[in-house]
Every structure is written in C-alpha cells, then in structure tokens.
Amino acid sequence: MNAPPAGLWVDAWDPAYLDGADAGPATPSNADLELDVELPPDQWRALPPPPDLLAPEHVLLVDGVRRRDAVVWTADADGPHPGLAASYAAGVVHCDLGRGAATLLTATVERGIFTTSPTAPPITWGQIHYPVHRVDSGELPQLDGVAQQSLTELEIRVAERARDQVADPGDLLVLDGPLRQRGHLPRAVGYVKSHRSQYLPADQNQVVTGLAPGQRSPVFRGTNWRLYTWYLRLPGASGAPWSGLARVECSPQLSPSAAVALADLSAVTLPRFAASAYKDSRAPQNLVPIAGLEQRLRARLGDRALLRRGLTRAAALARGGAAGR
C-alpha cells in the first residue's frame, strides 16, 4: 500500500465545533484568599475613588481576537498528526482624555499552523502566509491553547510598541481579559468582564453586589494565583446584583500600596468608557474603545470561508508538488 504524499490536508469539520460546553453559572472557587490586603475582612465596604484623584491623560486599551480557520492533518511516518490553522490579531486604542480623542494606535494580524507534525510545511498563497508553529505534544484542544499563547505574546508586543509611541510615564494600560503573562508591563491592569468563579465568602460577596456605580471593592488576592484583584461597578447597570460588575487585576510584583493606587486609578478611569445597552448587548462591561477595537480586528482577520478555500487549494498544490518530486 502506497504512503500518501507528504503535506497537509484541510479537514471538512468546522473548527468552531472544537468549543467545549458552556461553563455555566459562576461556581465557588477553592482558592485560598488574602482578604486583608487593603482592609481587614470584617471592615470591608464599598470604596469610592479619592475625590481629588484625576484620571490619567493617556489611557491605552489593548485587545486581541483569535479565530480557528481550519483543522489540518499531516501524514508522517509515525502516523497522522492533527493541526490547527488559526488567525489572530491584536491592537491598541489610545484614548487622549485631554483632547477627548480616541485613536487606533496599532493593529497587527498574524496566522499560523499549530501542529505536532515534524514535517508539516508552511502554507502561502498571495499575501497570505501561515508559518508552522511546532509543538511537542497535544491534541486539538491543546493546540488551541498554544494559539492563545501566541495571541498573548502578540498583545504584549503591540502594547510595548504603543507605550513607545505615547511615551507618557503616567499612562494607564488596560488589557482586555485576565492579566496572564502580561503582569510585567508597568501600570497595567487586566480587565475581566465575565465571572466564572465565585471567589469571595458570603460577607465580602455582599459588599461586591452592593457596590454603586463608580465604587470598587477592597483589594484582595489568592495565595495560589497571587494577582491583586478587586471588583468595580460600572454605570448603566440593570440593577441585577452582578450587572455592571467587572473584576480588575494587577501584577503580584507590586507592593500592596501600589496595587491599591492602581485600584483607585481604575475606579476613576474605567467608568467613563462603559458601553450603553442600546449600542452593545454586553453593556456596560464591554468598554466602548474595546468594542470598537474588537470589531476592527475581526474585520482584519479576513473572510474565513475564503481563507479556508485558499488553505485547501494551497495544501493540495503542495501535496501534488511533493508527489511529483
């Protein structure tokens, strides 16, 4: 029996179906907490920002998007290897609060084929290029995680470039989503819109759900994940207990006082960017600059159906060339 020619095959299965089931409502977390970073647990209360604190003149908001373009397969001597062709993009919106202007500062698109195959070739046609990212092990869900890591690294690069362009040592960098490996960036906070886990005990949780718009919870952190974190209520909430609540994170390398200062700065800055319900179904947590940036980035990824056809054709041509040699 003849071995198939070397190269890639694009699977007909829609990669969107790699998604697992919805995580469902928030579940209690088993994390051990340090609740006394800012206030003793029995003194927790809603905290407004200091009345004399001003928002920074320059705010940089960073977001990234990722899409699975196709599942691919490679025939190697040790058997078939799965792979994932993905596109991802990251960008930065610069909000100059002094001028009242928002500018798309940078937006970068990258693509890749993530696979364990030692022989998988890159695919290029026209201006579209999918380089190969080889990993040691992993099935499709794990490969998807490697693609997410590549997006995180891209977000770091665009954030650093934006910082160089703005060159304001007093700016605030807002990263959409958990802080992850981006905690080394100075004056940076991670902005988490959804709540998968219920971290706090009942008494402190009641303080959080009782926050008024513009108020935040005291800073706390987990003994395992170490990040400083706090909850912030945005204006425009529906009145439901968790409506309009976001969780904000900052680096564990900061001192407690520096973390509290960032928490105050977030409380005086982020509410001004809250979305309106008539414009955004994810309002008010989906900040207006982030929503606009996400829309621009998704448009720059290109049409998935066209990319899929291009991948299929380029892979077939590569196989034909390999078979003819």
Side-chain angles (χ1 to χ4, degrees):
M1 184 175 183
N2 293 330
L8 288 175
W9 283 260
V10 178
D11 200 312
W13 189 256
D14 187 339
Y17 287 108
L18 290 175
D19 281 323
D22 190 351
T27 55
S29 169
N30 59 4
D32 292 325
L33 302 177
E34 293 181 10
L35 298 176
D36 59 352
V37 171
E38 184 173 4
L39 290 176
D42 60 354
Q43 295 180 25
W44 266 45
R45 63 185 184 276
L47 299 173
D52 57 345
L53 181 64
L54 299 177
E57 186 173 351
H58 299 282
V59 183
L60 302 174
L61 298 102
V62 183
D63 194 15
V65 298
R66 178 172 53 90
R67 189 184 63 203
R68 303 157 181 154
D69 293 333
V71 173
V72 300
W73 290 89
T74 308
D76 287 304
D78 60 347
H81 287 257
L84 183 67
S87 296
Y88 47 99
V92 182
V93 174
H94 171 214
C95 293
D96 186 330
L97 301 185
R99 295 192 301 113
T103 306
L104 178 62
L105 207 57
T106 182
T108 302
V109 177
E110 293 187 356
R111 308 183 199 275
I113 294 173
F114 299 85
T115 179
T116 58
S117 167
T119 66
I123 289 185
T124 300
W125 75 96
Q127 300 297 313
I128 304 299
H129 179 57
Y130 284 81
V132 175
H133 299 257
R134 303 191 197 279
V135 299
D136 294 333
S137 62
E139 297 300 319
L140 288 172
Q142 289 74 41
L143 297 177
D144 194 47
V146 177
Q148 175 61 47
Q149 176 62 32
S150 294
L151 172 58
T152 298
E153 293 168 358
L154 178 59
E155 289 174 347
I156 292 172
R157 295 200 299 274
V158 299
E160 290 174 339
R161 287 201 299 268
R163 273 268 168 79
D164 290 341
Q165 288 178 261
V166 174
D168 176 9
D171 66 6
L172 177 66
L173 184 69
V174 181
L175 299 144
D176 191 55
L179 200 57
R180 295 193 182 96
Q181 296 91 0
R182 304 173 294 185
H184 66 284
L185 296 168
R187 303 178 308 285
V189 296
Y191 178 78
V192 184
K193 298 187 288 284
S194 58
H195 307 286
R196 296 295 180 92
S197 296
Q198 181 176 302
Y199 293 107
L200 295 170
D203 288 348
Q204 286 72 34
N205 211 44
Q206 193 169 13
V207 171
V208 171
T209 57
L211 293 174
Q215 293 180 336
R216 65 171 180 88
S217 74
V219 175
F220 66 99
R221 65 176 174 178
T223 56
N224 50 351
W225 32 266
R226 303 304 296 167
L227 289 166
Y228 294 104
T229 189
W230 58 94
Y231 288 95
L232 172 65
R233 175 88 71 183
L234 300 173
S238 68
W242 285 89
S243 174
L245 282 173
R247 188 171 60 81
V248 191
E249 300 176 340
C250 70
S251 171
Q253 303 304 318
L254 297 174
S255 67
S257 61
V260 169
L262 263 182
D264 282 335
L265 196 62
S266 73
V268 80
T269 303
L270 297 181
R272 68 179 59 214
F273 300 125
S276 300
Y278 74 92
K279 290 184 177 180
D280 192 333
S281 60
R282 293 178 291 172
Q285 289 99 315
N286 200 35
L287 303 179
V288 171
I290 292 291
L293 176 58
E294 183 180 294
Q295 186 177 25
R296 295 281 292 274
L297 292 176
R298 291 197 184 282
R300 293 192 180 205
L301 291 183
D303 185 275
R304 189 171 74 173
L306 292 176
L307 289 169
R308 186 184 180 84
R309 287 199 290 270
L311 279 165
T312 302
R313 177 173 294 185
L317 289 173
R319 292 198 306 273
R325 287 197 292 271

